[in-house]
Amino acid sequence: MDSINQQQPEHNHEDLHQADAVKKIKELANKTNTCFFSTKFRAATVPATRPMAVQQVDEEGNFWFLSSNDSHKNQELQEDNRVQLLFQGSAHSDFLSVVGTATISTDKARIHELWNPILKAWFTEGEDDPRITVIKVAVTDGYYWDNKHGNAVALVKTAIGAAIGQTLDDSIEGKLSV
């Protein structure tokens, strides 16, 4: 544990597994529904990262996206299906980083389930646009950082800690194992 966390008088680390990990993933991901979707993150070059809208996080903690079959992202996933998703729900909390493997399909039933009319801005032929693919990211593990009592309490505790010279940041963080 690092020196800042060792100064914490409160419990601030909790690794989560299976159902608890999925619950935390859904909680944090649903606060923003947008993430940075990174491919080629284990390559020797800079990862390719772009914003993506999450269409769904299912009960197993899998993430579902719609993407164009001719996108750079889909091409990169054909070469290496390992991905990282990064979320930030607010300026001061709700951070989530997960890694997993992506699969691409053209499952029409899943496209129908995930479809939202605003997506016509990208898929101009609507739900039946032949370019639509479904990307499923099966999470293998991750890390979260949040606060325990909300941003207002965290701010007050941080201010008090600064005034008295003690670490009181209300944080909670840990590994996620799905």
Side-chain angles (χ1 to χ4, degrees), residues 70-112:
D70 60 354
S71 69
H72 293 293
K73 172 186 0 57
N74 282 42
Q75 292 170 8
E76 292 158 1
L77 292 173
Q78 298 289 342
E79 297 168 17
D80 182 354
N81 69 345
R82 295 171 293 180
V83 299
Q84 181 178 28
L85 308 177
L86 301 164
F87 294 83
Q88 181 175 349
S90 77
H92 304 289
S93 63
D94 311 318
F95 301 103
L96 174 65
S97 170
V98 295
V99 294
T101 55
T103 55
I104 301 170
S105 77
T106 56
D107 180 342
K108 296 295 183 194
R110 185 56 99 168
I111 291 168
H112 177 73

Side-chain angles (χ1 to χ4, degrees), residues 1-13 148-149 157-158 160-162 164-172:
M1 186 179 297
D2 62 69
S3 63
I4 291 175
N5 284 328
Q6 289 175 349
Q7 296 175 40
Q8 268 292 14
E10 298 179 59
H11 170 76
N12 70 336
H13 187 96
K148 295 178 271 194
H149 303 103
K157 287 176 85 171
T158 301
I160 291 170
I164 65 172
Q166 187 174 2
T167 303
L168 301 172
D169 72 358
D170 199 49
S171 68
I172 186 78

Side-chain angles (χ1 to χ4, degrees), residues 101-174:
T101 55
T103 55
I104 301 170
S105 77
T106 56
D107 180 342
K108 296 295 183 194
R110 185 56 99 168
I111 291 168
H112 177 73
E113 180 183 341
L114 300 174
W115 182 255
N116 182 316
I118 194 69
L119 294 169
K120 195 168 181 186
W122 294 274
F123 301 107
T124 54
E125 295 182 40
E127 186 177 333
D128 295 320
D129 192 312
R131 298 173 299 131
I132 301 175
T133 63
V134 176
I135 297 176
K136 173 187 175 185
V137 175
V139 173
T140 54
D141 61 291
Y143 202 84
Y144 74 99
W145 185 93
D146 202 2
N147 57 47
K148 295 178 271 194
H149 303 103
N151 290 340
V153 171
L155 176 63
V156 169
K157 287 176 85 171
T158 301
I160 291 170
I164 65 172
Q166 187 174 2
T167 303
L168 301 172
D169 72 358
D170 199 49
S171 68
I172 186 78
E173 62 185 302

